[in-house]
Amino acid sequence: MVTVYVTLILKGYKTFAQVPANLQPAVKSELEALGLGTDGKPLFEGEAVS
């Protein structure tokens, strides 16, 4: 189910707040492993690449 919710967030069909509370830690971890925030958008670390 974690992968399903991650996919739904990435496609814009669900928000992180809509993920059941018991799955939120795993979904957040999976998104972070992909370099994404809970909004499904990339996390930027360090300097911006031009």
Side-chain angles (χ1 to χ4, degrees):
M1 286 303 295
V2 171
T3 303
V4 172
Y5 277 105
V6 168
T7 303
L8 291 171
I9 290 170
L10 293 177
K11 298 284 185 180
Y13 295 121
K14 294 277 184 189
T15 65
F16 184 74
Q18 294 172 308
V19 175
N22 63 323
L23 294 176
Q24 283 185 356
V27 171
K28 183 177 180 183
S29 177
E30 187 68 24
L31 287 167
E32 288 174 349
L34 295 170
L36 304 170
T38 56
D39 59 359
K41 297 198 167 114
L43 296 172
F44 296 105
E45 294 184 19
E47 296 181 26
V49 177
S50 53

